Amino acid sequence: MKDKSTADKPTAEKPITEKIRSYSLTQRLSMILLVITTSVWAGSLGCIYWGMQKTANNIFDKSLAETAHALLSTTLSTLNGKVPEHTAIEKIQGEHYDQIVFQIWHGDGQLIYRSVGVTTKPLVQQSSFGWINMHGKTYRSYSAWDSTHTIQVQIAQVWAIREDIQKDMLLFLILVSAVFLPLLFWLIIRIIRSNLSAVYSISQNLEKQSIEHLSPIHPVVPKEIEPLVSSLNT
């Protein structure tokens, strides 16, 4: 028969050792920096593409306006104050004849000159820059009068030309990213691993030592983990 006092005495439980939660500092830092770098890179590419697109459109608009004023000056010097009885039609017709079209009007409403494939109706109604649709295509238009408001040039350039150039710019930026982003990722990971080598060195030194015979370690460490190493050495 068991002693009552012995039966009532609680038995000692074995201590439960909690598993240390750990993670890879290299992987975490690498992932964070890669995500940030990719986001910043994508935002930068968007800003660069938007700036290049805006600059290209401004250059095209200026070129279109200069072409219109050149046509206006040529027409004034050719007419020499006389108005032709019939409308002259551009005779040159090539592969790119419809990329830039124009009309030249007299102030009394007479069409003096027009490109191939252009109707006898005015291309544009407003002054300066605008947009028109012709033959199922979108055109960027521009119109200008001479100083006496006698001769008007209406000119239009197909928008697809600008779209093709913008696509080429976007493709170039994507190719640059495809080349340099992996290199940048590799450099980030390499730099992180190089700077965390001191932490790996401490870990390896501790693993090689016995818990009963710990000896001080003297690695070159960052200031952030210097208190930890000092505590281990005391």
Side-chain angles (χ1 to χ4, degrees):
M1 186 174 179
K2 293 183 178 180
D3 188 4
K4 185 176 180 181
S5 61
T6 306
D8 295 338
K9 187 177 180 180
T11 58
E13 297 181 356
K14 295 182 179 180
I16 300 175
T17 304
E18 294 185 1
K19 186 178 180 180
I20 299 176
R21 300 176 61 185
S22 63
Y23 61 89
S24 173
L25 186 59
T26 300
Q27 291 182 359
R28 176 168 293 190
L29 288 177
S30 299
M31 185 61 64
I32 292 173
L33 289 178
L34 291 181
V35 170
I36 293 175
T37 302
T38 304
S39 302
V40 173
W41 187 283
S44 301
L45 283 186
C47 293
I48 292 172
Y49 177 70
W50 176 81
M52 293 173 65
Q53 187 180 39
K54 186 177 180 180
T55 302
N57 287 332
N58 288 336
I59 293 174
F60 273 107
D61 284 347
K62 289 180 180 179
S63 177
L64 192 64
E66 290 174 358
T67 304
H69 287 285
L71 284 172
L72 192 59
S73 300
T74 303
T75 302
L76 290 174
S77 61
T78 303
L79 293 178
N80 198 18
K82 299 179 181 179
V83 180
E85 296 180 359
H86 304 286
T87 301
I89 302 176
E90 184 183 19
K91 296 181 180 180
I92 300 176
Q93 182 172 350
E95 181 182 357
H96 306 291
Y97 77 94
D98 62 339
Q99 293 187 354
I100 295 182
V101 296
F102 62 92
Q103 294 176 334
I104 300 177
W105 291 85
H106 193 269
D108 60 5
Q110 180 182 348
L111 180 59
I112 301 174
Y113 197 93
R114 68 181 176 89
S115 299
V116 177
V118 177
T119 64
T120 56
K121 296 180 180 180
L123 290 175
V124 297
Q125 302 297 331
Q126 77 283 352
S127 299
S128 190
F129 292 99
W131 302 91
I132 62 171
N133 290 314
M134 185 172 59
H135 306 312
K137 299 179 181 179
T138 301
Y139 285 77
R140 179 67 163 167
S141 63
Y142 180 80
S143 63
W145 287 91
D146 65 341
S147 57
T148 61
H149 211 73
T150 304
I151 303 296
Q152 184 194 38
V153 171
Q154 297 183 2
I155 189 170
Q157 181 184 54
V158 66
W159 185 253
I161 298 176
R162 308 188 186 196
E163 288 181 335
D164 291 340
I165 293 178
Q166 291 169 4
K167 289 178 182 178
D168 291 340
M169 291 189 300
L170 181 59
L171 180 61
F172 173 75
L173 292 175
I174 292 175
L175 290 176
V176 170
S177 300
V179 172
F180 287 99
L181 261 183
L183 177 61
L184 184 59
F185 291 165
W186 178 81
L187 287 174
I188 290 174
I189 296 174
R190 188 66 180 267
I191 291 172
I192 291 175
R193 288 180 177 176
S194 175
N195 284 273
L196 289 178
S197 60
V199 179
Y200 296 141
S201 176
I202 295 173
S203 175
Q204 291 175 356
N205 286 334
L206 291 177
E207 287 179 355
K208 292 177 181 179
Q209 297 185 32
S210 172
I211 193 170
E212 291 84 4
H213 302 87
L214 291 176
S215 59
I217 54 177
H218 303 285
V220 180
V221 296
K223 290 185 177 296
E224 287 78 7
I225 63 172
E226 184 179 358
L228 174 62
V229 177
S230 298
S231 300
L232 292 172
N233 288 335
T234 54

